[in-house]
Amino acid sequence: MQLICLDDDPRMEVVLDRFLRRFGHAVDFHVSVASFKAALTSDDPDLILLDLGLGQESGIEVIHWLGKAHPGIPVVLLSGHGDELLDTVQRIGRSAGIQVLGAVSKSRAAVELPTILKKRLTQAAHGPRQALKMPEALTRKGLEGTIRRDRIAPYFQPIVSPADGRLKGAEVLARLQLPSGKVLGAHEFIPLAESTDLIYAVTETLFERLIESRQTIAGSGLGFIAVNLSPLILQQERALVLMRRLVDGLGDTCAIKVEITESAASAYPEIVRSVAAQIHLMGMSLAIDDFGIGHSSMRVLAELPFDTMKLDVSFVSEMFDSAKALKLLRAMIRFGQTLELQVVAEGVETEAQRQVLIEAGIDLAQGYLFGKPAPLELLADTFSVPNASAGA
Ligand code: C2E
Ligand code: CA
Ligand code: CA
């Protein structure tokens, strides 16, 4: 593998060269930003090793430059500073559009670098990363037709008590069944629905399907179902018509929780306040979704009648990134519980994450570790609830 390295400390050249050669890699070493940039214009290496402390010059600036000039070449960051800075800079790199494979503290380079290089080699062997292609290009017209043909399906993802894995409720996630039989995930059509004002029709159809399967829901052992409400619907008078129909349609089948994202809640606090109050009056509860990454979080929580806080998935997926990340997660859980909210962790994928969440006293958890979103019948099978499909 051909590597290029920018580090103002010439002693690093000897260190790197010696040990990279052992693994059969060649490294082109530069101590100045100018010569590093010049080398990149004539050559396309497989990997960049970038030191962050460059004396007079800044590694951060180089990162931004790379994002514009050479976004395709993956980067490994080197630093003589602590892990915390590396974590911050890794984020800067990702938002600048470059692929940051990892960050290595110089004192541990000999131990950590080989693992990262190995990862890069396996990646290269599988060819360059291809952009994800839409299986069938979906247009507004296509989506409209599909909604009409009742191809919107509710999938259910279990929400459990993490200590014993007991099923407490489920989040309803929309899926689109294409005529070809392919099932599209929400991220593949919800944005289109939102940008073409079809989101109301999607939600309406989804709710109708839920009402149709009320008997299956009743036998499924779910204490509650949680539905997502787009900010675009919240802004419409008919939002309440939609919610009223769901409440009446499901009757006493199970409790209903409405999820509103933190970004919607902070963008339209007045509208959300009024809708939230009416949602409560109809007997539903309210969750703030993807909490912790938006703005004005604290205020929104204090002023709006939420019962549940769903922590943004990033708190779970990044909990082991640094000691601070772990502390932040614990503090967020305590914070939610201090406000007497039920706190839910999303995106739980590993046993290690589950253990941390249990120790931190989380109320509920959701994620692939407990179950992926699936049709209700499959969810009931997984959790083997007696009489799960009785009367369906
Ligand atoms: P969300 O409300 O945050 O839903 C959670 C998303 O995380 C779901 O993606 C779920 O499949 C995914 N997920 C669950 N567990 C894990 C895990 O362990 N690891 C990972 N990596 N992902 C996990 P999905 O179903 O693709 O939905 C994406 C988003 O689309 C949802 O995010 C929600 O904002 C929106 N959405 C889904 N259904 C509806 C709907 O009926 N109406 C509206 N307005 N939005 C919806
Ligand atoms: Ca949600
Ligand atoms: Ca969420």
Side-chain angles (χ1 to χ4, degrees):
M1 189 155 56
Q2 180 64 47
L3 293 94
I4 186 168
C5 178
L6 172 60
D7 190 333
D8 64 330
D9 180 358
R11 285 171 305 177
M12 264 317 266
E13 177 165 18
V14 188
V15 177
L16 281 175
D17 195 55
R18 195 180 323 127
F19 111 94
L20 286 174
R21 212 178 278 281
R22 255 199 297 145
F23 292 91
H25 308 306
V27 58
D28 176 20
F29 198 91
H30 296 265
V31 287
S32 89
V33 176
S35 80
F36 169 78
K37 286 185 178 174
L40 272 177
T41 47
S42 59
D43 213 6
D44 229 12
D46 302 297
L47 187 79
I48 297 169
L49 292 174
L50 176 63
D51 179 33
L52 292 176
L54 295 171
Q56 295 297 312
E57 302 185 84
S58 141
I60 311 282
E61 240 158 69
V62 176
I63 288 177
H64 287 297
W65 175 79
L66 284 171
K68 286 192 203 104
H70 300 278
I73 312 172
V75 175
V76 174
L77 303 170
L78 299 171
S79 169
H81 303 273
D83 289 346
E84 243 138 56
L85 185 65
L86 283 179
D87 182 54
T88 307
V89 179
Q90 218 164 331
R91 285 167 204 276
I92 296 176
R94 290 194 185 120
S95 62
I98 57 177
Q99 193 191 351
V100 181
L101 282 189
V104 170
S105 168
K106 279 190 195 174
S107 55
R108 293 197 304 268
V111 186
E112 293 175 356
L113 208 46
T115 321
I116 295 181
L117 295 181
K118 213 164 129 197
K119 191 164 117 191
R120 171 63 188 151
L121 279 175
T122 358
Q123 233 180 40
H126 291 99
R129 264 207 206 179
Q130 300 254 319
L132 279 177
K133 262 204 211 146
M134 281 282 279
E136 281 159 53
L138 195 62
T139 58
R140 183 191 194 281
K141 236 186 161 145
L143 181 57
E144 204 168 14
T146 332
I147 298 167
R148 228 181 273 138
R149 285 199 299 276
D150 255 16
R151 288 184 177 274
I152 296 288
Y155 271 40
F156 293 73
Q157 185 174 33
I159 298 177
V160 307
S161 139
D164 54 14
R166 245 172 225 261
L167 181 66
K168 295 293 181 182
E171 176 171 4
V172 177
L173 295 156
R175 294 292 181 267
L176 183 65
Q177 294 164 331
L178 295 181
S180 65
K182 165 108 193 154
V183 178
L184 292 190
H187 58 282
E188 292 173 289
F189 70 96
I190 293 286
L192 176 68
E194 289 189 324
S195 65
T196 52
D197 67 76
L198 285 171
I199 188 66
Y200 191 90
V202 168
T203 311
E204 192 175 35
T205 312
L206 187 74
F207 285 5
E208 275 163 21
R209 302 281 316 257
L210 284 176
I211 296 166
E212 277 164 25
S213 48
R214 58 171 285 169
Q215 294 208 297
T216 318
I217 297 175
S220 67
L222 292 172
F224 66 87
I225 57 167
V227 295
N228 292 281
L229 211 53
S230 162
L232 295 170
I233 292 181
L234 280 175
Q235 294 174 63
Q236 304 174 18
E237 297 258 318
R238 346 177 247 173
L240 293 168
V241 177
L242 208 60
M243 298 320 297
R244 166 56 62 198
R245 213 180 305 150
L246 184 66
V247 172
D248 291 347
L250 286 180
D252 53 8
T253 306
C254 70
I256 304 169
K257 210 185 265 295
V258 180
E259 297 192 1
I260 294 175
T261 60
E262 179 193 25
S263 54
S266 50
Y268 315 102
E270 292 310 322
I271 297 170
V272 172
R273 198 190 322 279
S274 144
V275 174
Q278 300 185 66
I279 282 175
H280 262 280
L281 290 172
M282 286 185 218
M284 291 175 278
S285 62
L286 203 66
I288 185 157
D289 199 4
D290 304 342
F291 181 78
I293 51 162
H295 308 286
S296 70
S297 328
M298 316 288 163
R299 234 185 163 58
V300 161
L301 271 188
E303 292 178 357
L304 296 173
F306 290 105
D307 325 274
T308 303
M309 176 198 280
K310 292 190 89 172
L311 294 179
D312 185 71
V313 284
S314 59
F315 289 98
V316 171
S317 64
E318 294 171 12
M319 69 163 83
F320 297 122
D321 280 10
S322 66
K324 254 193 195 163
L326 204 53
K327 285 183 189 157
L328 181 61
L329 170 73
R330 294 195 176 114
M332 295 287 288
I333 296 171
R334 273 200 306 276
F335 169 62
Q337 290 174 339
T338 305
L339 293 177
E340 292 172 11
L341 300 169
Q342 191 173 50
V343 184
V344 185
E346 278 192 283
V348 184
E349 292 183 353
T350 68
E351 186 53 38
Q353 291 170 339
R354 183 174 85 112
Q355 283 309 324
V356 168
L357 290 164
I358 294 171
E359 279 157 30
I362 195 94
D363 300 293
L364 295 173
Q366 178 182 350
Y368 295 165
L369 181 68
F370 311 105
K372 290 195 170 178
L376 186 56
E377 297 72 20
L378 292 184
L379 174 107
D381 286 350
T382 318
F383 282 85
S384 59
V385 182
N387 306 319
S389 50

